[in-house]
Amino acid sequence: RTVIVKLSSCFLQGILERLDAGEIVIGDGGFVFALEKRGYVKAGPWTPEATVEHPEAVRQLHREFIRAGSNVLQTFTFYASEDKLENRGNYCQKVNEAACDIAREVANEGDALVAGGVSQTPSYLSCKDEAEVKAAFRKQLEVFMKKNVDFLIAEYFEHVEEAVWAVEVLKESGKPVAATMCIGPEGDMHGVPPGQCAVQLVKAGASIVGVNCHFDPDTSLETVKLMKEGLQAAKLKAHLMSQPLAFHTPDCGKQGFIDLPEFPFGLEPRIVTRWDIQKYARKAYDLGIRFIGGCCGFEPYHIRAIAEELAPERGFLPEASDKHGSWGDNLSMHTKPWVRARARKEYWENLKPASGRPYCPSMSKPDGWGVTKGARELMQQKEATTKQQLKELFQKQKF
């Protein structure tokens, strides 16, 4: 097995100090999907009231990620802007403060960093002006400053314009800022290529740029490669970051997995294996990415796979590896001889898993309706969608 050493004092350094020194920083995984499956988050809104309503659930997930190897914990503040939470009970500050407190409590148990995160807003999609959108980000930033998070992440942006506004606000803090977009190789929803997106984000003040969510590891790495090339062409420097889905999505369109007919309740057949993630971690490292994590679908065992694959470079394994043999070598203790024969890297590295679904197609036809910023269907309303509104949507749906 790879060398295991205790965490050293270098892990107390800030995010840029670590990255500048060439260290590998491992992010955490997905929260809204994991907690929805566990019964703490409502699908649809995908908002993080659980930080107030079920803090023990959020705390436990943070703990599992840090045990699996994460040395950055993002506050569970996805979609926690005031305009998004106004029809969820409107307790924006409480949700954001609780998220910071929980993340800090657990991060201190492993000397990890806490990253305060903002994401795209209903205000932007509803064509509110720059000042109104920035006001939503600033409200969250006030909490992050009060709670003294270690750095900030602007994540899950479909439009580079809004991402730039977010970075500009977060830079007001004086803290390091990372920015990730939920885009694929085709670029943002207005067709701005990934390379140009990266350039705009760095010029706005982001020190770390990349992608998160909406696409699988391979597609996400392709997008980060284009971002890297764009930065090189513009003679700009920034650290690279990748936090993709833990689902295979080769059939996705420009808007990613939300267009798949299986989204969000039928995606399980697409889940990547731990071995897929080890391959992803190695490809990401070879591409020059040093902030490597995951988003929706990423469970702690996926994060552990990143830590195990990159253990030779990092010099240690996470605590969770005590219960997991490298490339399945603990299977050598299995009762059945044919299972013991699987205790080797060659077996798992070359396996092509069956789906167990003989009548299902291998690919889906995405449902993208071509709506984006300003579309009537995207306007957030405080009340639930009416039966008549749903009927109109059902009529547009294929089945």
Side-chain angles (χ1 to χ4, degrees):
R1 290 186 60 131
T2 336
V3 194
I4 304 177
V5 299
K6 291 196 174 187
L7 302 184
S8 66
S9 58
C10 70
F11 276 75
L12 300 174
Q13 293 178 323
I15 185 66
L16 294 184
E17 287 80 9
R18 298 184 192 194
L19 293 172
D20 288 344
E23 290 183 27
I24 299 166
V25 171
I26 298 181
D28 54 12
F31 270 71
V32 289
F33 265 53
L35 290 172
E36 190 279 331
K37 285 181 169 67
R38 290 159 169 79
Y40 299 106
V41 163
K42 186 181 294 184
W46 301 115
T47 46
E49 299 95 315
T51 60
V52 173
E53 297 170 355
H54 300 285
E56 73 287 349
V58 180
R59 186 178 296 109
Q60 177 61 23
L61 190 53
H62 274 308
R63 242 179 220 132
E64 290 179 16
F65 280 125
I66 204 168
R67 187 172 184 273
S70 299
N71 47 290
V72 168
L73 297 183
Q74 288 185 229
T75 57
F76 185 31
T77 51
F78 176 75
Y79 265 163
S81 57
E82 189 172 62
D83 56 346
K84 182 69 176 180
L85 287 171
E86 65 178 351
N87 58 348
R88 319 282 180 241
N90 199 21
Y91 49 120
C92 175
Q93 186 169 343
K94 287 183 179 179
V95 167
N96 282 278
E97 287 188 356
C100 291
D101 290 341
I102 295 167
R104 176 62 70 193
E105 176 190 345
V106 180
N108 286 346
E109 295 173 6
D111 295 325
L113 298 174
V114 173
V118 302
S119 52
Q120 66 179 353
T121 63
S123 292
Y124 182 82
L125 292 176
S126 300
C127 295
K128 298 290 177 64
D129 62 23
E130 180 178 349
E132 289 183 84
V133 174
K134 283 187 170 181
F137 296 136
R138 203 165 280 118
K139 198 118 182 179
Q140 284 187 272
L141 179 58
E142 289 172 3
V143 176
F144 297 146
M145 293 301 289
K146 175 183 175 183
K147 296 296 183 177
N148 195 27
V149 299
D150 298 305
F151 70 103
L152 299 155
I153 299 178
E155 69 164 3
Y156 196 78
F157 286 90
E158 297 174 306
H159 303 85
V160 70
E161 180 181 51
E162 187 184 18
V164 164
W165 293 351
V167 170
E168 288 172 348
V169 169
L170 297 184
K171 282 297 290 183
E172 295 171 7
S173 69
K175 294 178 181 290
V177 176
T180 56
M181 299 190 65
C182 51
I183 60 172
E186 293 182 59
D188 86 344
M189 293 302 290
H190 283 145
V192 181
Q196 288 186 29
C197 289
V199 167
Q200 290 187 40
L201 293 171
V202 171
K203 286 184 175 179
S207 301
I208 307 163
V209 296
V211 296
N212 81 296
C213 207
H214 275 205
F215 296 92
D216 61 28
D218 286 342
T219 306
S220 294
L221 292 182
E222 184 181 345
T223 306
V224 177
K225 183 174 183 289
L226 294 172
M227 286 183 157
K228 180 180 180 180
E229 291 170 354
L231 292 173
Q232 289 173 336
K235 294 182 169 53
L236 293 172
K237 289 187 177 181
H239 296 289
L240 301 175
M241 176 176 176
S242 175
Q243 299 207 122
L245 298 172
F247 304 108
H248 291 290
T249 63
D251 41 353
C252 275
K254 184 175 183 178
Q255 199 160 233
F257 82 141
I258 59 174
D259 288 352
L260 291 174
E262 299 93 342
F263 177 88
F265 299 132
L267 290 164
E268 284 81 2
R270 294 175 175 266
I271 292 175
V272 298
T273 68
R274 63 195 70 193
W275 316 121
D276 292 327
I277 293 304
Q278 290 209 203
K279 293 175 186 176
Y280 150 67
R282 182 55 55 190
K283 288 178 183 176
Y285 181 84
D286 290 344
L287 184 58
I289 301 171
R290 293 297 179 267
F291 191 147
I292 306 171
C295 201
C296 295
F298 259 77
E299 293 280 350
Y301 73 94
H302 290 117
I303 295 299
R304 181 180 61 187
I306 297 173
E308 290 185 344
E309 176 62 30
L310 299 176
E313 288 78 10
R314 299 177 82 218
F316 60 91
L317 286 163
E319 184 182 355
S321 291
D322 290 347
K323 299 291 186 181
H324 187 244
S326 177
W327 287 96
D329 65 11
N330 281 347
L331 294 179
S332 61
M333 299 173 65
H334 200 276
T335 308
K336 307 295 190 242
W338 56 90
V339 178
R340 293 200 295 274
R342 299 169 189 165
R344 55 200 167 98
K345 179 179 179 179
E346 294 77 15
Y347 179 86
W348 296 110
E349 193 173 40
N350 296 303
L351 180 72
K352 292 181 171 51
S355 71
R357 298 173 180 270
Y359 301 107
C360 291
S362 60
M363 302 287 186
S364 296
K365 185 175 180 182
D367 278 337
W369 290 354
V371 297
T372 188
K373 179 186 177 185
R376 178 177 63 86
E377 296 93 335
L378 293 179
M379 302 302 168
Q380 177 163 298
Q381 54 193 45
K382 293 183 181 181
E383 66 282 354
T385 307
T386 66
K387 289 184 178 179
Q388 179 56 38
Q389 289 173 322
L390 284 174
K391 185 177 179 182
E392 292 172 7
L393 294 174
F394 295 158
Q395 289 171 346
K396 285 187 74 171
Q397 187 62 271
K398 297 184 186 72
F399 54 86

